[in-house]
């Protein structure tokens, strides 16, 4: 039995708050799922969540906009490189036209036999919309943004990781997590993430030995981690013990993220993975279930700092 079922979310460090919010909600047609702040450290930085209206785990993209504190990273090898979301077969043309018309340069290409639209987040992080015939999730329609169910994003397709050493990541992904290797070509490696719902999601490993090392810290312009869904705490703890027992000891203790519980592990290829499961109540723990993502919320442990943090956040119109 696999202890993973698909992705839980993907997390990026971006630049400006407004451009980030507009990109995901207005350009890509995702919904605001949660608006809170960075739980680690002391900097007042937003933590923004986007996805399907109901906040389904397999659809969530989260961001830390770092423009105000002025912390910027370097994209490179041994780091997650590309955010990939699934779209219906045949929807590429719609997205190429829409993105270009909205001032986001986009073009159609193919990798590992899958047609995809390539473009960039305003901060420069590569994004792709991938046609996935194996994905049976309902597309995220957003009529207010001109996106119908015929073309809407279905959720996370996966992440592409740039590495200097293919072998180390091959071992980690197949033995530690574990995933199934489904492609090994001159383009790199592809691993299928186990799922319970037929929504085939993947990890792509791109061999780029001549690309300089990328940033691992929380820093604008880089992908921070790829989060896999363990479904519950028992699976999370069992998988954590399995990974640590193999000798991958760069793995964190469980962290309380309010809406889910997390453990983080640094892969030998550099990319950071998270093992996550949604707690009872999920996004509705501090907002009405039918109005998630509409207000700025803080965890209880920040109650004494809320006014200070609000004053330090970058201004934005949501």
């Amino acid at each position: 039995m696999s202890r993973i079922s698909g992705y839980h979310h993907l997390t990026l460090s971006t630049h400006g708050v407004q451009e980030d919010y507009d990109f995901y909600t207005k350009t890509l047609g995702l919904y605001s799922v949660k608006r809170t702040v960075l739980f680690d450290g002391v900097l007042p930085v937003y933590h923004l969540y986007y996805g399907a209206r109901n906040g389904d785990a397999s659809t969530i993209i989260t961001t830390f906009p770092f423009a105000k504190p002025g912390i910027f990273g370097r994209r490179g090898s041994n780091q997650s490189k590309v955010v990939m979301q699934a779209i219906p077969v045949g929807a590429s043309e719609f997205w190429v036209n829409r993105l270009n018309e909205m001032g986001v340069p986009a073009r159609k290409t193919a990798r590992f036999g899958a047609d995809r639209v390539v473009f960039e987040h305003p901060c420069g992080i590569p994004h792709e919309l991938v046609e996935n015939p194996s994905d049976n999730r309902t597309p995220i329609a957003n009529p207010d943004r001109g996106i119908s169910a015929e073309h809407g994003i279905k959720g996370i397709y996966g992440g592409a990781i740039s590495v200097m050493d293919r072998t180390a990541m091959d071992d980690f992904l197949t033995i530690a997590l574990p995933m199934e290797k489904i492609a090994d070509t001159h383009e790199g490696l592809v691993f299928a993430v186990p799922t319970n719902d037929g929504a085939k999601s993947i990890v792509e490993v791109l061999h780029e030995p001549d690309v300089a090392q990328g940033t691992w810290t929380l820093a604008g312009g880089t992908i921070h981690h790829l989060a896999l869904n363990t479904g519950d705490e028992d699976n999370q703890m069992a998988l954590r013990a399995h990974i640590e027992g193999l000798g991958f000891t760069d793995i964190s203790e469980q962290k309380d993220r309010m809406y889910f519980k997390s453990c983080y592990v640094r892969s030998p290829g550099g990319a950071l993975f998270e093992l996550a499961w949604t707690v009872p109540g999920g996004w509705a723990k501090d907002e009405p279930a039918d109005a998630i993502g509409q207000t700025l919320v803080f965890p209880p442990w920040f109650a004494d700092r809320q006014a200070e943090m609000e004053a330090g956040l970058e201004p934005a119109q949501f």
Side-chain angles (χ1 to χ4, degrees), residues 84-105:
M84 299 183 289
Q85 296 167 286
I87 56 173
V89 173
S92 287
E93 200 68 31
F94 167 85
W95 283 104
V96 168
N97 293 335
R98 176 183 174 86
L99 290 165
N100 280 297
E101 287 169 3
M102 298 185 78
V104 179

Side-chain angles (χ1 to χ4, degrees), residues 224-239:
H224 190 252
H225 63 261
L226 313 178
L228 303 168
N229 194 355
T230 67
D232 58 38
E233 187 165 45
D234 288 345
N235 279 335
Q236 182 189 58
M237 290 294 100
L239 183 55

Side-chain angles (χ1 to χ4, degrees), residues 140-216:
I140 301 169
N142 194 331
D144 292 342
R145 303 299 186 195
I147 299 172
S148 69
E150 182 182 359
H151 303 116
I153 291 170
K154 292 186 172 186
I156 297 167
Y157 178 70
I161 301 167
S162 172
V163 300
M164 296 179 180
D165 180 358
R166 288 162 49 123
T167 305
M169 281 299 284
D170 194 341
D171 292 345
F172 177 79
L173 293 174
T174 54
I175 297 170
L177 286 180
M179 300 179 186
E180 177 190 359
K181 184 164 65 173
I182 58 175
D184 187 341
T185 75
H186 69 283
E187 293 177 302
L189 309 170
V190 182
F191 299 84
V193 179
T195 64
N196 295 327
D197 58 3
K200 186 176 178 182
S201 53
I202 56 85
V203 171
E204 293 181 354
V205 175
L206 309 177
H207 189 218
E208 298 181 329
D210 300 324
V211 176
Q213 170 77 43
T215 305
W216 283 0

Side-chain angles (χ1 to χ4, degrees), residues 117-136:
V117 178
V118 299
F119 56 105
E120 292 181 353
H121 184 283
C123 76
I125 295 174
H127 277 55
E128 296 177 353
L129 301 178
V130 185
E131 295 189 7
N132 181 12
S134 302
D135 194 331
N136 60 12

Side-chain angles (χ1 to χ4, degrees), residues 77-80 161-163 169 213 216 266-272:
S77 193
N78 293 341
Q79 177 195 72
S80 292
I161 301 167
S162 172
V163 300
M169 281 299 284
Q213 170 77 43
W216 283 0
R266 180 74 65 183
S267 68
L272 187 66

